[in-house]
Every structure is written in structure tokens, then in C-alpha cells.
Amino acid sequence: MNQPRHSIDWRNGDVPVSRQFDDPFYSLENGLDETRHVFLTGNGLPARFLPGFHIAELGFGTGLNLIAAALAWQAAGQDGALRYTSFEAFPLSGDDLHKALAAFDAARPFADLIARALDGDGKIETPQLSAQIILGDARATLPRWEGRADAWFLDGFAPARNPELWEPALLRAVADHTLPGGTCATYSAAGAVRAALADAGFAVSRIPGYGRKRHMTIGRLS
């Protein structure tokens, strides 16, 4: 894929930090535990899993959210493949991706699959995972997407640093591409984010966040 690659620095040796947004890709404490708390528990997963379940995401990053979801799907013993669609403007290079995921033993088996997808057509197809990474500005690509998701992982960088992924129009597009009763979750508890999700049609709640973050946001399409 001929998409500009994300330029990063490394904090504490192995935590990737975006130079563009001056924000880490995941928690400095434990990125995998963070994604399980925010995006899995926040969307009622794995309890809501059923055949054909579809997760969509704003902000693919290191792919750690996809990995956490795929591991939970496997552990739940679901039949068929988990469907996963992610929208990403600035993918990591293969080398940076491998280094970022090397910190998590459970993530390492997925690194080559994800790197090949980012260097190829964006697709990952295994018996238990059917994923598509759609590159480009989500404000343009999401409205054109024909799918609808059961659950959304809203994982752009902090709204103050990456406001494009939190614009009200884009969050309305998220709602437009959510199945009835579908959910969303994000680490952000910013008032503007909660208001935009509510205006888009989600019933929004603020719940305890992960680690040092006091709060996060979840929503259900009403």
C-alpha cells in the first residue's frame, strides 16, 4: 500500500509514541490489558459474541485491539471467523509494528499477518479472523463503507491532538454504520466526545477507565 507511514519514537525502550500527535499508541502500563478493559469490556465482549459478529475501529495503530479481540474470539470457542474492519490514515512500518508487538507474548503470532496486510491489500483471512484495514482519512473512507458493525472501537489519538477522528460528522458516520443495538467504546471521557456520540444517537455512559485514567466512555445505539 502506498500510504504514508507513521513516524514514531520509542518511550521506555519499547512503547511507540507518535511524532505527529505526540501521544503513545497504548498505555505505558500494559497495552494489552488496557485494550481488554476499554474495548472488550466496554463493548460487553466476549459475552455478546455470536457467529458473524462484526467489530469496526477508528485508528488501527499497532493492531493490538484486533489481536485482543481475535484472542477473545478464539477463547470463547466461537464458530467461524470474527469480522473486523479498521480505518487507519498512517500505518506503521513492518519493522516498527514488529517491535511494538514484541512486548506482548500473545501478540507475536499476529505480527507477520498484520505486517503483510499493511504492505498488501489490507486483508487478513484465517479460519477464525476476517479482517480488512482500510487506509486513508476516515472522514472520506468511512462514509463510503457499505458495512455496519455490532461494536466500535474508537481509538484515535487524544482528541486535543487528533481532533479529526473525533469530529461530530465522523461520529455520526459511525452511528450510521452501526447495527441496531450496537455499541461503541473509547478510552476518552472528553465532554465534546460524549456530546458528539449522544448527538449521533448513542446512549452514552461514563465508566471507570484503565489504570491512571479515571473515566472512559461507552455507548449503545438507541
Side-chain angles (χ1 to χ4, degrees):
M1 293 185 177
N2 296 319
Q3 192 74 14
R5 297 291 172 150
H6 213 124
S7 180
I8 64 173
D9 293 314
W10 297 93
R11 188 173 297 172
N12 300 337
D14 58 4
V15 177
V17 178
S18 167
R19 289 181 185 170
Q20 181 173 352
F21 301 110
D22 190 27
D23 210 17
F25 279 76
Y26 47 69
S27 169
L28 300 178
E29 297 172 38
N30 188 311
L32 194 52
D33 283 350
E34 177 190 35
T35 195
R36 286 168 172 154
H37 176 85
V38 174
F39 298 112
L40 297 185
T41 302
N43 279 290
L45 305 176
R48 291 177 55 219
F49 280 152
L50 73 170
F53 196 85
H54 196 161
I55 294 170
E57 173 182 56
L58 293 182
F60 183 75
T62 63
L64 203 55
N65 297 339
L66 177 150
I67 292 167
L71 290 171
W73 180 266
Q74 294 171 11
Q78 289 291 328
D79 293 330
L82 172 68
R83 300 165 64 203
Y84 197 103
T85 304
S86 186
F87 297 84
E88 173 60 59
F90 305 104
L92 290 177
S93 70
D95 287 345
D96 286 339
L97 180 80
H98 279 88
K99 183 174 179 179
L101 294 180
F104 308 99
D105 290 343
R108 290 174 188 165
F110 294 86
D112 286 342
L113 285 173
I114 294 172
R116 284 198 297 270
L118 291 175
D119 287 337
D121 62 3
K123 294 181 179 179
I124 300 172
E125 295 290 344
T126 75
Q128 293 186 304
L129 178 64
S130 179
Q132 172 76 60
I133 307 162
I134 299 174
L135 298 185
D137 189 329
R139 294 173 295 179
T141 56
L142 174 53
R144 297 198 300 265
W145 183 48
E146 296 182 355
R148 288 198 296 171
D150 296 283
W152 276 90
F153 297 176
L154 305 180
D155 198 22
F157 290 103
R161 301 179 183 190
N162 184 199
E164 298 84 0
L165 274 192
W166 307 96
E167 291 180 0
L170 182 57
L171 297 182
R172 285 195 297 272
V174 166
D176 290 341
H177 292 82
T178 304
L179 290 164
T183 60
C184 66
T186 175
Y187 66 87
S188 176
V193 170
R194 298 200 311 272
L197 287 170
D199 288 344
F202 287 96
V204 175
S205 300
R206 190 175 69 170
I207 66 172
Y210 175 79
R212 289 174 289 180
K213 285 192 66 67
R214 291 180 60 192
H215 301 112
M216 57 173 275
T217 302
I218 60 174
R220 182 176 294 275
L221 194 64
S222 53

